[in-house]
Structures are given as structure tokens and as C-alpha cells.
Amino acid sequence: MRIVLDTNVFLVSLSPFSEYAPIFDALLAGRFTLLLSNEVTTEYEEIIAKRYDQESVQDVLRLLVSLKNVELISPHFRWKLIVNDPDDDKFVDLAVAGNADLLVTNDRHFNVLAHTSFPTVKTLKAEAFLEMLLAL
């Protein structure tokens, strides 16, 4: 599975005490391929730094780039589909460019994708993705 994780989903999966920790564990176990772009990685870094110290942030980023199931994608087209929060477009652009199977998010701004015929981007709530991982 090729997956894009919205920043908030990625962030809550980092804590071993979170109910979403199995998402990060599945990433570490190579159970899915995480797609990243420079823009998404930068946002991960900024948001993680609000909760963790700088050394932890750098450890997470080093770990991500060392995993064989993390793929860096360079989107070359801006779809501009998330009108209510254009900052979220980077995740859609990554999902399309990386041929993602799923974009995992709890952000309601992505609901517009259910009514977008092209490009097709399938979204899934973090809870449903977690259930899917646990069922495999």
C-alpha cells in the first residue's frame, strides 16, 4: 500500500502511548510505503517541533529517510483542490504524483475529494486506517 499521512495523523502516531501508535509501528515494520515530499517533510518537522525537543525531531526525520519503505516524491503539478485550506494541497499533490492508494486524514477539508472526479484521491480516516492495519 502506498500511503500519504496527513501531518496530524503522523504526529499522533508517534507517541507510543497513543491509540494511533500502531500506525507508526506498521510503518517501521514495512507494512506500507509512506510517500513524502519536501513540503510534507518540512511540515512534519515544524509540527513535531511544537511537541518534541529538537533532538527528537531530528531523530524522527533521520529515521524516516533511512526506511526502505519511505519514498520521496517530487510533485510537479499543483492541483489546488483544497479551496478551504490551500496549505493542505501539498498532501493531494503528493498523493496524485506518488500514485497513493490512500491519503489518511481526519481533516474535514479533504472531504471535497469525495466529490472530485479527477484526479481521484481516496481518503480514509485515521481510525479506519488503523482498523485496516490491525485486521491484516
Side-chain angles (χ1 to χ4, degrees), residues 2-116:
R2 299 171 63 76
I3 304 297
V4 173
L5 294 176
D6 186 13
T7 304
N8 291 327
V9 174
F10 182 74
L11 180 65
V12 297
S13 76
L14 289 177
S15 171
F17 306 108
S18 167
E19 66 181 297
Y20 300 103
I23 294 174
F24 191 69
D25 294 342
L27 171 65
L28 296 178
R31 294 185 54 210
F32 64 88
T33 297
L34 177 66
L35 303 179
L36 289 178
S37 66
N38 286 333
E39 282 183 291
V40 168
T41 305
T42 300
E43 183 167 312
Y44 280 6
E45 181 178 21
E46 290 170 6
I47 300 304
I48 295 168
K50 291 180 181 179
R51 289 209 182 156
Y52 296 94
D53 61 77
Q54 192 57 38
E55 184 178 342
S56 297
V57 173
Q58 293 308 311
D59 287 345
V60 169
L61 294 176
R62 274 192 292 274
L63 175 63
L64 284 179
V65 299
S66 74
L67 295 173
K68 294 183 189 288
N69 58 314
V70 172
E71 189 175 328
L72 184 63
I73 304 291
S74 297
H76 296 289
F77 190 80
R78 306 287 181 215
W79 291 95
K80 300 180 183 180
L81 298 177
I82 312 296
V83 206
N84 291 328
D85 191 356
D87 192 46
D88 286 336
D89 277 325
K90 68 174 98 12
F91 296 98
V92 175
D93 298 340
L94 173 58
V96 173
N99 197 27
D101 297 301
L102 295 170
L103 191 162
V104 182
T105 182
N106 287 339
D107 187 334
R108 62 181 167 76
H109 293 127
F110 289 93
N111 292 348
V112 68
L113 297 175
H115 309 289
T116 304

